[in-house]
Amino acid sequence: HLVGGASGRELTVRAEGDTFVTQQIVDPVTSRRLNCIPIHEVARMVNDLSHGVAGSVVGQDEDGASKKVVSLAGDFEDHKRYLQFGSFRIQFDDDGCNRGADIHRGLAAGPGKTSLNAPAGLATTGEKKGVPAAHASEDASVDPGFVDIDADPFKHILRIAGLLNRQRDAYVEAATSIREGRSLEGGTGSMTPIFLL
């Protein structure tokens, strides 16, 4: 506690930390419910932790109510594919949050065109989500909900590697902006899953 100068009265000081609120998003490909957080917020978490700033992560349920709160404290380790904090993990090589957010925000450009977070060459709207744009047709024999972007294991590895590079680049860009004192308003738009342990 502090004591005021001339008055001698006690002053109460309340230190506030940052609160990082997740958003629950459904991955349209796997139907998983994911707690998601923008990449620029992840960079803020790492910055806060490295400077000893208190904070917490709030996991929400599908109705937006707080479901779990974890402290931004403890150990931190960067494993490239994911960031491990004391009581949660940020996963960079999972695109479920971006796919769900694109649909939620209506960012897809239209039938046969790619969205901000879609792997290059994939249709993200229209009848054939996830099918290469060149093959997205009105063919009624293909199930409209069918997604087979990972049928070829080699293409799957390349897609995940590309995703990991994009997510890491967005994270590094946000961390650099924080260090240089630049605004992060809006960030990169990219999101990533956060797993509260």
Side-chain angles (χ1 to χ4, degrees):
H1 77 278
L2 299 175
V3 177
S7 69
R9 293 180 20 210
E10 288 188 20
L11 303 175
T12 302
V13 177
R14 183 173 175 216
E16 300 250 351
D18 286 327
T19 301
F20 302 93
V21 180
T22 67
Q23 178 182 358
Q24 193 166 93
I25 294 177
V26 176
D27 179 350
V29 173
T30 64
S31 299
R32 293 177 302 156
R33 286 191 181 279
L34 298 169
N35 281 309
C36 303
I37 194 155
I39 294 280
H40 67 275
E41 291 289 278
V42 174
R44 286 185 53 226
M45 282 182 201
V46 173
N47 186 67
D48 282 4
L49 189 61
S50 66
H51 288 93
V53 175
S56 59
V57 178
V58 179
Q60 295 183 323
D61 64 16
E62 56 272 3
D63 297 322
S66 296
K67 186 174 181 178
K68 186 170 188 175
V69 178
V70 297
S71 175
L72 181 61
D75 296 337
F76 166 79
E77 194 168 342
D78 186 339
H79 292 272
K80 301 296 180 201
R81 285 184 44 237
Y82 63 94
L83 303 178
Q84 181 67 53
F85 292 79
S87 55
F88 60 94
R89 182 179 73 218
I90 306 286
Q91 195 73 36
F92 284 135
D93 61 353
D94 185 326
D95 207 23
C97 290
N98 287 325
R99 286 188 298 256
D102 277 356
I103 289 173
H104 179 73
R105 294 185 304 232
L107 290 179
K113 297 182 181 170
T114 58
S115 70
L116 291 176
N117 298 305
L122 294 183
T124 55
T125 62
E127 290 70 30
K128 312 294 183 287
K129 291 184 181 94
V131 176
H135 304 309
S137 69
E138 298 298 321
D139 180 2
S141 66
V142 178
D143 178 5
F146 179 72
V147 178
D148 191 17
I149 59 177
D150 293 332
D152 180 336
F154 181 70
K155 287 182 180 177
H156 171 76
I157 292 168
L158 290 177
R159 186 179 70 78
I160 295 300
L163 167 65
L164 179 58
N165 287 337
R166 285 191 308 277
Q167 298 284 70
R168 290 289 307 185
D169 287 349
Y171 167 68
V172 169
E173 179 184 330
T176 301
S177 294
I178 290 170
R179 280 193 305 275
E180 294 175 356
R182 290 184 282 148
S183 173
L184 289 176
E185 289 304 313
T188 63
S190 189
M191 297 186 79
T192 192
I194 179 169
F195 297 98
L196 307 175
L197 308 175

